[in-house]
Amino acid sequence: QVQLVQSGAEVKRPGSSVTVSCKASGGSFVNYAFSWVRQAPGQGLEWMGGIVPVFGTSNHAQIFKGRVTITANKSTDTAYMELSSLRSEDTAIYYCATISTLSRGTFDSWGQGALITVSS
Amino acid sequence: DIQMTQSQSSLSASVGDTITISCRASQAINNYLNWYQQKPGKAPNLLIYGATTLQSRVPSRFSGSGSGTDFTLTISSLQPEDFATYFCQQSYRTPWTFGPGTKVEIK
């Protein structure tokens, strides 16, 4: 099973941007589709968007329209999520996850999460 | 968007109990329903996909049922390591959406 290691915690100012990385190992990167899911403190889980590196195609939830960019670098086996125009409500743990090859839209491996705090 | 609800925000149980956790979708999603377990400070962990299929290496005391709009996660003979929060998630249509979670606490 693929292992996902994410970048570390960050503190960002309102209005700035953050990029979280997710490096995959233990499997063939181009065999996977990746998604990003976030969890505000003490709250539930929210899907942000995803990417299929082999095709270079990505999609995202409409509520993040214009603010989220999801990319992947096949040469380094790393997926990225950039969130711009940050506000305090974006304070959350951001997880990357792979999509199961057996069941669409099913998250079968997860990174350890990256806490992003937005504060002035 | 498809809204997912879980009627119990929390439930108390004892080791050895059998418990059921409910999940409802705002529209029919066939069997495109997944269950995750999350422990404090950890990422979620997939337990069941396709409403009834046990993920590899997940103990057989976990089982899922349901189709359409109503689904259930059953944990038989609750073990100490099962005290956690459980989320359902629909994989019928994007945006993929999750229920608010049910926290299973020790009675």
Side-chain angles (χ1 to χ4, degrees), chain B residues 12-86:
Chain B
S12 296
S14 301
V15 172
D17 286 350
T18 293
I19 65 168
T20 59
I21 298 171
S22 301
C23 174
R24 175 168 287 178
S26 61
Q27 65 181 82
I29 57 171
N30 293 339
N31 65 338
Y32 291 100
L33 191 282
N34 310 309
W35 289 99
Y36 301 85
Q37 177 193 67
Q38 187 178 34
K39 296 181 179 179
K42 300 294 187 181
N45 181 51
L46 177 65
L47 298 176
I48 287 171
Y49 62 91
T52 61
T53 303
L54 204 62
Q55 171 70 344
S56 176
R57 295 188 296 276
V58 172
S60 59
R61 62 180 180 273
F62 292 92
S63 63
S65 63
S67 185
T69 60
D70 293 302
F71 301 87
T72 300
L73 172 69
T74 300
I75 311 175
S76 304
S77 187
L78 204 62
Q79 297 299 298
E81 61 268 28
D82 300 336
F83 292 95
T85 300
Y86 294 85

Side-chain angles (χ1 to χ4, degrees), chain A residues 54-67:
Chain A
V54 68
F55 300 127
T57 54
S58 64
N59 63 348
H60 57 268
Q62 277 297 106
I63 61 167
F64 297 103
K65 186 176 182 180
R67 290 211 300 144

Side-chain angles (χ1 to χ4, degrees), chain A residues 11-31:
Chain A
V11 178
K12 308 297 287 188
R13 298 297 186 206
S16 67
S17 299
V18 67
T19 298
V20 182
S21 67
C22 172
K23 183 169 176 60
S25 63
S28 179
F29 187 72
V30 293
N31 286 345

